[in-house]
Amino acid sequence: MFTTGQWIFAALFFVAFVIAAYFAYGKDKALHNKFYKGSYKVLIAFILFILMLFVIKVFMKH
């Protein structure tokens, strides 16, 4: 399906992307801590909502 060269390119691209994202986030870390304090609560609420929908789907199926 994919050639060896394509797999190598994908792996190198992924590594470069992760490194670039790490450095970009590192520069903005202080800014994120100041403006997005408590944003993890929104993430947890979103995940719980998705899980709740999944549970409702499973119980309504039976």
Side-chain angles (χ1 to χ4, degrees):
M1 189 158 152
F2 292 108
T3 65
T4 305
Q6 288 173 323
W7 280 110
I8 292 171
F9 174 77
L12 291 175
F13 183 84
F14 178 75
V15 169
F17 182 81
V18 169
I19 290 170
Y22 175 77
F23 283 116
Y25 178 76
K27 288 181 180 179
D28 293 337
K29 189 172 183 181
L31 192 63
H32 288 276
N33 287 339
K34 181 179 179 183
F35 289 110
Y36 300 112
K37 198 180 304 182
S39 61
Y40 67 92
K41 295 175 188 174
V42 176
L43 177 64
I44 291 172
F46 181 73
I47 291 171
L48 287 174
F49 178 73
I50 298 297
L51 287 174
M52 184 180 68
L53 288 176
F54 179 73
V55 169
I56 290 170
K57 178 184 173 186
V58 169
F59 281 126
M60 295 298 252
K61 198 176 216 181
H62 296 317

